[in-house]
Amino acid sequence: MGKMYPGLHSSSVVKRFEGGRPILSSKDIPYEADCIFNAGVAKYRGRYVMLFRNDYQFDGKGAFGRTVIGLAFSDDGIKWKVEDKPFLTLEDMGDEEITRVYDPRLTVIEDKCYICFAVDTRHGLRGGIGVTEDFKHMELLSMTVPDNRNMVLFPEKIDGKFVRLERPFPVYSRGGIDRFDIWMSRSYDMKYWGESELLMGVEDVPFANDKIGPGAPPIRTDAGWLTLFHTVDIDHSRGKNGWEERWQKRYCAGVMLLDLEDPSRIIGMSKEPLIAPETAYETDEGFRTNVIFPGGLILEDDKTVKIYYGASDTVECLATARVEDLIELCH
Ligand code: BMA
């Protein structure tokens, strides 16, 4: 654990799968791949489905030549079979403005699988929403204006409307530095979004000093919508942490509970990280160490959840927790 930043620890309610061994990494991919991370996961029509980010062709400094979104299926959510071809590439988007698609999140609503993903374009960073039923074709439903990303959808309409969490980048009004927060918007049709409001400011999270963003799409529990978010703290004294000359941020996973009828009301959140970087995969090895990026939360039997998270922007990991314990942390 040589390069672990001091101060933050994972909650004892979280159990890492096999001590933190990744469930998916580049060696599992049947095409060119380097970093496999920040996946979205859902249970869909009797099996688990995962869309993951694959960054490859590292330039030796700080950027990757290519990013695609890959596809894998599983019967148990642990052992994955990766499909022969990526699910979504730049070519599939067919738009020269678009330079990268990444960080997918999956939500099943009324038996359709919706995909939220980040879209870098030459004129700003946009949030895309698509839908599929066969994981062969995706219909693009909407794209935000810049700059917005980390969108996640609730699994049900609330008050007749689809609801999403999102993370705009309000540079101008937040002082020209990273001070970014979690917002919420609603839609009747997944295409036109409005009724936007602030859900949680970065200053509301005791272990973040930089930015926060939605992580895993919410799941329904009797106590409220349970959802994971990511948090970032920055320390300018940090130096080389990974492949780049300098990486000064740490990403953790946080957990919060939202009111079932009015999800803009936060019932509570854990005042400490749910998952902080601690294992060798999370702190010592990979492109950007000390990054935990939660993207999937799967309710198993009303009692436990599987938590999927990217580690160090390099591998995909799994942890489990009891629903009861997560709710308790939010009170
Ligand atoms: C964020 C996103 C994530 C990534 C994280 C750490 O800005 O790009 O995809 O995991 O940075 O590099």
Side-chain angles (χ1 to χ4, degrees), residues 22-72:
I23 53 157
L24 205 71
S25 62
S26 58
K27 66 177 175 19
D28 305 310
I29 313 301
Y31 42 87
E32 193 176 352
D34 280 333
C35 293
I36 300 299
F37 61 113
N38 295 3
V41 181
K43 261 190 195 165
Y44 189 56
R45 297 187 182 171
R47 57 185 174 166
Y48 294 77
V49 57
M50 176 192 283
L51 291 180
F52 56 84
R53 170 172 172 182
N54 169 17
D55 283 9
Y56 57 101
Q57 296 177 356
F58 186 59
D59 69 0
K61 289 186 228 119
F64 291 82
R66 295 272 303 169
T67 296
V68 294
I69 293 180
L71 170 64

Side-chain angles (χ1 to χ4, degrees), residues 38-224:
N38 295 3
V41 181
K43 261 190 195 165
Y44 189 56
R45 297 187 182 171
R47 57 185 174 166
Y48 294 77
V49 57
M50 176 192 283
L51 291 180
F52 56 84
R53 170 172 172 182
N54 169 17
D55 283 9
Y56 57 101
Q57 296 177 356
F58 186 59
D59 69 0
K61 289 186 228 119
F64 291 82
R66 295 272 303 169
T67 296
V68 294
I69 293 180
L71 170 64
F73 293 103
S74 169
D75 292 325
D76 59 7
I78 297 170
K79 281 173 65 184
W80 293 87
K81 163 102 183 47
V82 180
E83 295 293 290
D84 288 343
K85 290 198 178 95
F87 173 72
L88 192 65
T89 66
L90 268 190
E91 291 71 29
D92 296 328
M93 297 298 288
D95 180 347
E96 293 206 339
E97 264 293 296
I98 296 175
T99 55
R100 193 165 65 134
V101 290
Y102 56 103
D103 290 1
R105 270 70 170 249
L106 303 182
T107 304
V108 176
I109 311 173
E110 293 166 3
D111 200 39
K112 290 185 178 164
C113 196
Y114 291 87
I115 305 153
C116 295
F117 53 102
V119 186
D120 287 355
T121 79
R122 295 189 211 286
H123 292 83
L125 203 172
R126 306 177 68 182
I129 302 179
V131 66
T132 188
E133 290 188 61
D134 59 9
F135 282 92
K136 292 191 174 76
H137 310 282
M138 183 188 77
E139 183 191 347
L140 186 63
L141 300 174
S142 72
M143 295 243 280
T144 64
V145 289
D147 277 319
N148 198 352
R149 74 169 165 201
N150 296 309
M151 287 163 16
V152 303
L153 291 164
F154 284 68
E156 294 167 31
K157 286 182 184 165
I158 302 169
D159 255 345
K161 286 168 253 182
F162 297 107
V163 186
R164 75 182 182 200
L165 303 179
E166 59 203 331
R167 213 289 304 289
F169 294 74
V171 176
Y172 175 76
S173 52
R174 297 292 266 150
I177 50 165
D178 285 10
R179 295 295 289 169
F180 307 144
D181 319 293
I182 298 177
W183 287 67
M184 172 180 280
S185 297
R186 298 167 197 259
S187 170
Y188 284 108
D189 59 5
M190 282 282 175
K191 195 172 159 91
Y192 300 100
W193 290 86
E195 295 181 18
S196 303
E197 57 187 312
L198 178 69
L199 178 73
M200 187 162 79
V202 59
E203 62 279 1
D204 299 330
V205 182
F207 47 96
N209 68 7
D210 187 70
K211 57 182 173 177
I212 57 174
I219 56 170
R220 174 186 272 278
T221 73
D222 290 345

Side-chain angles (χ1 to χ4, degrees), residues 37-38 53 100 102-103 149-150 167 169 211 230 232 244 247 249 251 287-288 291-293 310 312-313:
F37 61 113
N38 295 3
R53 170 172 172 182
R100 193 165 65 134
Y102 56 103
D103 290 1
R149 74 169 165 201
N150 296 309
R167 213 289 304 289
F169 294 74
K211 57 182 173 177
H230 68 258
V232 182
E244 296 165 295
W247 174 244
K249 293 175 182 168
Y251 281 62
F287 171 50
R288 286 179 171 168
V291 175
I292 301 285
F293 203 80
S312 294
D313 281 5

